Amino acid sequence: MSTTKKMAGAALAAALGVSTLAACSGSEETAKDTGSSASSKAVSKTVTVVSHDSFTPSDAVLKEFEKQSGFTVRKLKSGDAGAALNQEILTKGSPRGDVFFGVDNTLLSRALDNGIFTPYEAKGLDQVKEEFRLDPLHRVTPVDTGDVCVNYDKKYFADKKLAPPQTLDDLVKPEYKNLLVAENAATSSPGLGFLLATVGKYGEEGWKDYWSKLKANGVEIVDGWEQAYNQRFSGSGGGKKAKGDRPLVVSYASSPPVEVLYADPQPKTAPTGVSTGTCFRQVEFAGLLEGAKNPTGGKALLDFMIGLQFQEDLPLNMFVNPVTGNAKLPEVFTQHGEVIAKPETVAPEAIAKNREQWVKAWSSIVVK
């Protein structure tokens, strides 16, 4: 899920010619640097987070955790979310860390079915909105959420005196022919999210017919978000430089605030908008790994991740939304973002059961 979203935020910033956000606190390693020579005393004072490559909370917030808890955070990054999860399944019972961060609702059932987590009900879980608590056994803790949505180029539609599409149904109308660029569902997280939005909306009986109509209406499919958003989409900073000519793109509800945040000078209004009836809701989780060497530190970190400081750190550093009701969004998000009231969802167990066949069927319809 969020791997692409957070990389998208960083890529968007780079496309606008600015530096990315501050580096994280604590030590950071790739999956190749396991640091297995640490003493038992050092291990007891270190809590290791295994994650995808886009686990990027701010330096300040992790330092605050270390100050409060007495534990030092060590980050072990392991590629994208799917690759990171695969490594933990392979090392089940002898994990490389204490906490795993980065499994989302598209991968959740796979993680739970493989039994890689120890149940733990984090302190403060009552502050997390009930809609995000997808595991009643508390094997994972909800940490952040976001929405895959179609974004549109405001200037294009204003110049054409054409109302931008707002729903999935709109996208197959003749007036929007040859305007949308989307990512490959087999190779891209937002591409898969958009496919799942259509499954959620039209059901098993209708989503294939929808994609046949969308293909007939000229949807362009590219491999990933970077190409779609920063090359083909006419509304983004990167797309303008690349002379992109598609005014509709599958991206995120958080993309317009990020366009404002990294523009110099910052515009009064976002240059892009969100088609709010096209969205799929993603939720990202963390969990205490079965066999963790430092379960006490792992539990403390899970508690902290749903605390107010960490939750309010998320939007500007990881380009996602908090899951707790008491966390406030930064002004740039409240002014330029969209609250998606009724996103499409698909049950994690249904995704686990059908994901491969859905993607295969999608490919046979769209990429042939």
Side-chain angles (χ1 to χ4, degrees):
M1 160 221 175
S2 307
T3 306
T4 302
K5 176 181 286 188
K6 295 158 198 169
M7 291 175 69
L12 197 160
L16 294 174
V18 301
S19 62
T20 54
L21 297 169
C24 299
S25 171
S27 61
E28 181 173 320
E29 303 178 26
T30 66
K32 294 180 181 179
D33 286 321
T34 59
S36 59
S37 62
S39 67
S40 59
K41 182 177 181 180
V43 170
S44 69
K45 285 297 182 182
T46 299
V47 56
T48 299
V49 184
V50 183
S51 72
H52 51 56
D53 285 346
S54 298
F55 178 60
T56 56
S58 70
D59 180 72
V61 76
L62 287 187
K63 283 185 181 297
E64 185 58 32
F65 167 73
E66 292 176 345
K67 178 181 177 181
Q68 290 180 16
S69 69
F71 294 106
T72 298
V73 177
R74 171 177 171 259
K75 299 182 295 298
L76 183 59
K77 296 185 177 183
S78 302
D80 66 22
L85 176 60
N86 286 342
Q87 284 295 310
E88 291 316 300
I89 291 172
L90 290 172
T91 57
K92 175 184 172 181
S94 299
R96 298 173 297 158
D98 305 301
V99 169
F100 181 84
F101 171 84
V103 60
D104 69 15
N105 49 320
T106 69
L107 297 169
L108 181 59
S109 286
R110 184 162 180 243
L112 298 183
D113 289 346
N114 278 279
I116 66 171
F117 296 117
T118 296
Y120 172 65
E121 184 172 353
K123 296 175 183 177
L125 190 63
D126 59 322
Q127 294 294 320
V128 175
K129 297 176 183 179
E130 189 173 355
E131 65 193 271
F132 303 136
R133 299 185 227 164
L134 301 184
D135 177 30
L137 300 181
H138 308 302
R139 289 162 293 182
V140 291
T141 301
V143 175
D144 64 65
T145 184
D147 298 291
V148 172
C149 305
V150 170
N151 285 203
Y152 58 85
D153 178 353
K154 290 181 178 179
K155 184 178 186 301
Y156 173 91
F157 288 98
D159 289 348
K160 297 291 184 181
K161 295 181 172 56
L162 175 65
Q166 288 300 327
T167 67
L168 291 171
D169 286 344
D170 287 343
L171 294 174
V172 299
K173 293 178 179 178
E175 54 263 44
Y176 304 113
K177 187 177 179 66
N178 298 327
L179 301 187
L180 175 65
V181 57
E183 300 85 359
N184 192 319
T187 59
S188 164
S189 176
L192 176 60
F194 188 55
L195 167 58
L196 293 174
T198 65
V199 173
K201 172 69 173 178
Y202 301 107
E204 186 63 37
E205 300 302 316
W207 74 264
K208 296 175 187 177
D209 181 60
Y210 176 81
W211 274 97
S212 294
K213 293 177 181 177
L214 200 60
K215 182 180 180 182
N217 211 38
V219 63
E220 178 183 359
I221 302 297
V222 297
D223 286 340
W225 179 90
E226 170 67 29
Q227 183 181 359
Y229 193 86
N230 276 329
Q231 296 181 32
R232 300 296 298 123
F233 179 45
S234 62
S236 68
K240 287 182 174 67
K241 292 179 180 179
K243 302 186 184 303
D245 60 4
R246 292 264 165 166
L248 297 172
V249 65
V250 173
S251 190
Y252 297 93
S254 59
S255 295
V258 178
E259 285 285 346
V260 173
L261 182 64
Y262 290 121
D264 186 17
Q266 290 188 357
K268 292 183 179 179
T269 60
T272 60
V274 175
S275 302
T276 57
T278 66
C279 304
F280 175 75
R281 172 65 47 84
Q282 293 181 315
V283 183
E284 194 167 34
F285 303 86
L288 182 67
L289 287 164
E290 179 69 31
K293 293 180 180 178
N294 187 1
T296 301
K299 291 175 181 179
L301 183 59
L302 290 173
D303 295 344
F304 185 79
M305 292 174 83
I306 57 173
L308 189 61
Q309 288 174 298
F310 192 92
Q311 288 289 298
E312 291 188 344
D313 186 71
L314 288 167
L316 295 182
N317 290 284
M318 296 173 68
F319 310 105
V320 289
N321 294 317
V323 293
T324 58
N326 59 343
K328 295 180 180 179
L329 288 170
E331 186 176 3
V332 68
F333 273 67
T334 58
Q335 285 191 354
H336 305 290
E338 289 281 357
V339 176
I340 309 303
K342 295 182 179 180
E344 299 298 336
T345 60
V346 179
E349 55 269 23
I351 297 172
K353 180 180 178 181
N354 298 291
R355 180 175 55 242
E356 289 187 13
Q357 66 186 54
W358 285 341
V359 170
K360 184 177 180 180
W362 177 89
S363 298
S364 70
I365 296 168
V366 184
V367 187
K368 63 178 182 180

